[in-house]
Amino acid sequence: MSNKNEQNNIPEEIDLYNLRAIISKAINNVVMNTFLFFKKNAYKLLLIIFCGALLGGLADYFTKSYLAEVVVNSNFTSNDYLYSRVDQLNTHLIQNSKIELPISNYKKFSRIDVEPVIDVYSFVNNTTLNVANNAQNSQNFEMLKLMAEKGDINNIIKDEVTSKNYYFQKINVISKEKVEEKDIKSVITYLNKDNYFDSILHLNIQNIKDRIVKNDSTISQINKLIQSYTSSIAQGSASVMFKNDNSEVNSLITQKNELISKIEEDKLSLISQNKIIKDSTIVYNQINNEGIANKLKFILPALFVFVFLCVSYIKNLNKKSQKA
C-alpha cells in the first residue's frame, strides 16, 4: 500500500520540479534579455535622457512662474466672503477681461486661489480668538465628531465645508514674473473693498477706541479711590484692612486688573481687526513647484525613455510576428 502512495507522489514531485525549472528559466531569460537590451541601446538611452533633460530644463526656464503666499484671517464675516472674492478675481484673470482692476501690475498674475491653513486644535479650541467661546468650541468639536463617524477623519479635516471654517487661510498668487510688495498689498486692498463690511469695520474700531477711553477713565477713578483709602489708613482715620479679601480696596484692585486686561485685549484687537481681510504674513517670489511646474527637467526624460521602450517593444513584436 505504501509503495503505491510513493509511486503516486513521484509524478507530483516531477511536475513541481519542472515548474520551478520553467519559472527559473523564464526569469533568467527576462533578466538576460533586459540586460542585453539596455547594453545594446545604452548610448541611445543616454542621448534620450540628455535631450529630455535639456528640453525639460529649457521648458522650465521659459515657463517659470513665481508664488506669493499671504496668510490672512477674516473679520466680521465668514470665510465664504473671502473665497467668493478670490474666485471672482481669479475668474477675471483667467478670462483676461478687458475691465481694468485697481491692482498694481495685476497682468503679471496667472492665477489666485485660497486654501485653508489646517489647524484642527485651534478650530476645536478657538485658541486664535481673543475671547473664549465655550459654546462655539463645543459646537466645532461635536461637528467634527459627528462628521468623523461618517467618514475618514483625514478627509473630513480637508473637506471643503470644514476648510472654510479654519481661522487662518492662505492666498496663493501665481505670477509670470517677480512681484513687489505693493503688488501683493494691492490685492489685499482690493479684497477689502466692501461698503457693508467696511462700515462695520469702522464702527467696530470706534467702539474699541471708546471702550479703551472709558476703561482708562475708570482705572483713573479707581486709582484715586485707592489713593484716598491709602491716605486715610496712613492718617489712622480708616479701618480698612488690606489683608481682608472682602475689603473694598481688594475689590477695587481686582476690578482694576480686569480693566487693564480688557484694555490689552482691545489694543490687540485694534491691530488684528483693522481690516476685513487681515494679512498677517506674506512670502514673496518663491519658485512655483505646484503640479508639474519646474519639474519638466525630470518628467520629459522619463517620458522619452518610456516612449522609446514602447516603440522598441512594438518593433520586437512585429519582428516575431513576421517570423511566425
Side-chain angles (χ1 to χ4, degrees):
M1 191 73 175
S2 61
N3 290 334
K4 289 182 179 180
N5 290 334
E6 290 177 0
Q7 290 175 359
N8 291 334
N9 290 333
I10 290 174
E12 294 180 3
E13 293 177 359
I14 293 174
D15 289 342
L16 290 173
Y17 177 78
N18 290 336
L19 181 61
R20 283 197 297 268
I22 292 171
I23 294 174
S24 178
K25 183 178 180 181
I27 293 174
N28 289 334
N29 287 337
V30 171
V31 172
M32 182 56 67
N33 289 335
T34 303
F35 172 76
L36 292 174
F37 173 82
F38 280 104
K39 182 179 179 181
K40 180 181 177 181
N41 298 283
Y43 292 109
K44 290 181 180 178
L45 288 169
L46 288 174
L47 181 61
I48 288 172
I49 293 172
F50 174 77
C51 291
L54 180 62
L55 290 174
L58 290 172
D60 284 337
Y61 177 79
F62 287 108
T63 60
K64 182 166 57 176
S65 59
Y66 298 90
L67 171 67
E69 297 178 335
V70 188
V71 176
V72 301
N73 64 275
S74 300
N75 293 312
F76 324 114
T77 176
S78 68
N79 285 323
D80 287 326
Y81 167 81
L82 171 62
Y83 276 76
S84 62
R85 291 283 286 173
V86 171
D87 287 342
Q88 181 185 23
L89 180 56
N90 194 40
T91 300
H92 187 285
L93 294 173
I94 293 174
Q95 294 178 350
N96 293 318
S97 176
K98 294 181 180 179
I99 301 174
E100 293 291 326
L101 292 175
I103 297 177
S104 173
N105 294 319
Y106 71 92
K107 292 185 178 179
K108 290 182 179 180
F109 302 154
S110 302
R111 189 179 82 254
I112 297 178
D113 55 44
V114 59
E115 61 180 345
V117 177
I118 297 176
D119 188 354
V120 180
Y121 179 82
S122 295
F123 174 71
V124 173
N125 293 281
N126 245 352
T127 56
T128 53
L129 301 179
N130 290 331
V131 293
N133 189 337
N134 293 328
Q136 183 65 41
N137 295 350
S138 178
Q139 185 179 359
N140 291 346
F141 176 75
E142 291 299 327
M143 184 185 75
L144 276 181
K145 183 179 177 182
L146 180 62
M147 295 175 70
E149 290 175 355
K150 299 180 180 181
D152 182 11
I153 185 63
N154 292 322
N155 293 331
I156 297 300
I157 289 172
K158 298 178 183 179
D159 182 76
E160 182 179 355
V161 176
T162 310
S163 297
K164 289 185 179 181
N165 287 282
Y166 290 118
Y167 185 73
F168 288 111
Q169 303 286 323
K170 183 170 65 175
I171 299 174
N172 299 315
V173 181
I174 312 298
S175 60
K176 306 166 190 174
E177 305 173 27
K178 289 186 176 181
V179 297
E180 299 178 10
E181 182 178 359
K182 65 176 183 178
D183 302 330
I184 303 301
K185 290 286 188 182
S186 65
V187 173
I188 304 300
T189 302
Y190 175 81
L191 295 176
N192 276 287
K193 286 185 177 179
D194 184 273
N195 293 332
Y196 173 71
F197 289 116
D198 193 55
S199 61
I200 294 177
L201 169 67
H202 286 90
L203 179 60
N204 181 72
I205 290 175
Q206 188 59 51
N207 288 340
I208 292 174
K209 290 180 178 179
D210 290 344
R211 190 163 57 242
I212 290 174
V213 172
K214 289 178 181 178
N215 287 339
D216 272 333
S217 176
T218 303
I219 289 174
S220 297
Q221 293 175 13
I222 291 174
N223 286 336
K224 290 179 181 178
L225 287 173
I226 293 175
Q227 188 175 16
S228 175
Y229 276 120
T230 305
S231 298
S232 299
I233 292 171
Q235 295 172 6
S237 60
S239 60
V240 179
M241 298 297 296
F242 281 100
K243 294 183 179 180
N244 185 356
D245 291 336
N246 296 321
S247 68
E248 294 181 24
V249 173
N250 283 335
S251 177
L252 289 172
I253 292 174
T254 301
Q255 185 180 0
K256 175 184 174 181
N257 290 333
E258 290 175 353
L259 290 172
I260 290 173
S261 297
K262 288 180 180 178
I263 290 174
E264 291 172 349
E265 290 176 2
D266 284 336
K267 287 181 178 179
L268 289 174
S269 295
L270 285 176
I271 298 174
S272 63
Q273 298 181 17
N274 63 349
K275 294 180 182 179
I276 303 168
I277 306 298
K278 174 63 178 178
D279 52 305
S280 53
T281 59
I282 304 177
V283 181
Y284 302 96
N285 298 324
Q286 302 178 86
I287 298 297
N288 179 30
N289 293 314
E290 293 183 352
I292 64 171
N294 202 39
K295 299 183 182 72
L296 291 176
K297 64 177 70 69
F298 306 110
I299 294 175
L300 286 186
L303 180 61
F304 287 175
V305 169
F306 176 75
V307 172
F308 176 76
L309 293 176
C310 290
V311 172
S312 299
Y313 181 71
I314 293 172
K315 285 183 177 179
N316 187 43
L317 288 179
N318 187 44
K319 287 181 181 178
K320 288 183 178 181
S321 63
Q322 289 177 353
K323 291 179 181 179

